[in-house]
Amino acid sequence: MTQFAPGLDLKIIDNERGDPGLDAATGEIFALFAGREREFGVHPDVVIDYPDLEASDFLADPVAYLARCQAEIEAERGAPLARIVMLTTFSDRIGAALTDAGFALTPIDMGAGPLGTAFLTRDLRAEGPVLYVEAVNEADPRISPNFALRLTDADGHLVGGACGSVQREGGVARAYLAIMAVVPDQPAGTGTALAQAMTHHLRQMGVTQINLGTQTADRFYEKLGFRLQHVVQPKLRFREGAEGTRVWHDLVMMQRDL
């Protein structure tokens, strides 16, 4: 069994077992992750855009939408855009229009994650700002977590957690890890122990593969045995290291067979 530091307690919540409290647990874990993500900066040459899928024309005319974004960034930065990168779950709806406009489309097999996941790129020149667009269908039921791990301290406060979804198709069970996070200053190895506990649970549930995407933890997951599938955007985020140095992290998609 996975060993945690004294005083830490792990609770696993799984819809397949009929466990109660999943929504509350995932809400806490998402909030924890959002707080940890704020510790990372974004590359100064990258502009991140999250389209308003209801109010904008992104899905109806993605080429026009991106052209406006490009014009706005070039006017603000005073430099021509070098690259446009998009991660989306809507490739079935917008992929054809964008490839006709010169984008390269790379499908991403997310296992239990959203169907239609892909990233698209268009290289315009060697140097300049980069536009990164993320357009994900948050209402996709395949994104909705159906398992969670909740790690608490002796006072019952959340100090770490993970959540994701398991899909069973064609007799095969695969998992999509949405989030894993641990609060700062926990004993060394807490994150690894949490990941091991999750892996053990998923194996017990018959899962044979885990898929994920990360902007901030590529090296952590590599140490756990995840292999790199795709580098969507190099050096998207950074953490401040010793003496003001920046430790860079790529936006990657990863996979691990169990």
Side-chain angles (χ1 to χ4, degrees):
M1 291 293 293
T2 302
Q3 296 295 317
F4 291 97
L8 297 183
D9 180 64
L10 180 69
K11 181 179 182 180
I12 299 176
I13 304 167
D14 197 306
N15 270 359
E16 290 191 9
R17 303 188 310 199
D19 299 336
L22 181 66
D23 289 346
T26 56
E28 284 185 295
I29 295 165
F30 272 86
L32 170 59
F33 176 78
R36 294 306 311 269
E37 193 174 43
R38 286 194 287 271
E39 300 172 15
F40 292 82
V42 177
H43 196 295
D45 288 337
V46 177
V47 178
I48 299 179
D49 178 69
Y50 297 96
D52 187 329
L53 300 175
E54 295 184 0
S56 75
D57 63 346
F58 174 80
L59 292 175
D61 193 347
V63 176
Y65 179 90
L66 293 176
R68 290 197 304 274
C69 289
Q70 178 177 350
E72 292 171 3
I73 294 168
E74 291 179 344
E76 179 181 342
R77 297 289 181 109
L81 207 63
R83 190 173 192 240
I84 302 174
V85 184
M86 180 189 299
L87 180 64
T88 184
T89 60
F90 294 100
S91 65
D92 55 338
R93 293 181 59 178
I94 64 175
L98 290 172
T99 54
D100 287 347
F103 283 79
L105 185 151
T106 304
I108 300 174
D109 178 9
M110 290 299 290
L115 302 175
T117 303
F119 72 97
L120 298 101
T121 58
R122 187 180 180 193
D123 293 316
L124 304 172
R125 51 191 48 84
E127 296 181 356
V130 173
L131 168 62
Y132 169 64
V133 180
E134 186 170 307
V136 175
N137 180 12
E138 300 293 348
D140 189 327
R142 295 174 67 93
I143 290 180
S144 180
N146 55 31
F147 74 87
L149 287 79
R150 188 173 183 272
L151 187 65
T152 55
D153 62 15
D155 297 319
H157 298 137
L158 183 73
V159 296
C163 62
S165 60
V166 172
Q167 300 290 335
R168 299 183 183 275
E169 298 166 337
V172 177
R174 298 194 292 177
Y176 167 70
L177 177 59
I179 285 178
M180 179 178 292
V182 174
V183 301
D185 303 325
Q186 287 301 297
T190 299
T192 298
L194 178 62
Q196 291 172 341
M198 178 195 69
T199 301
H200 177 73
H201 171 70
L202 292 176
R203 280 198 180 107
Q204 287 188 316
M205 301 302 288
V207 171
T208 59
Q209 187 182 87
I210 308 173
N211 293 268
L212 62 86
T214 180
Q215 301 181 9
T216 57
D218 42 350
R219 295 177 183 85
F220 171 74
Y221 288 114
E222 284 178 358
K223 292 178 181 178
L224 293 173
F226 282 81
R227 65 180 183 274
L228 190 67
Q229 283 183 291
H230 307 284
V231 178
V232 179
Q233 175 59 39
K235 292 187 175 181
L236 178 62
R237 290 187 178 269
F238 66 89
R239 184 194 289 275
E240 296 291 349
E243 300 179 358
T245 60
R246 289 180 173 178
V247 179
W248 291 99
H249 294 274
D250 301 336
L251 168 55
V252 299
M253 315 307 292
M254 308 186 79
Q255 187 178 91
R256 181 183 176 187
D257 294 323
L258 300 183

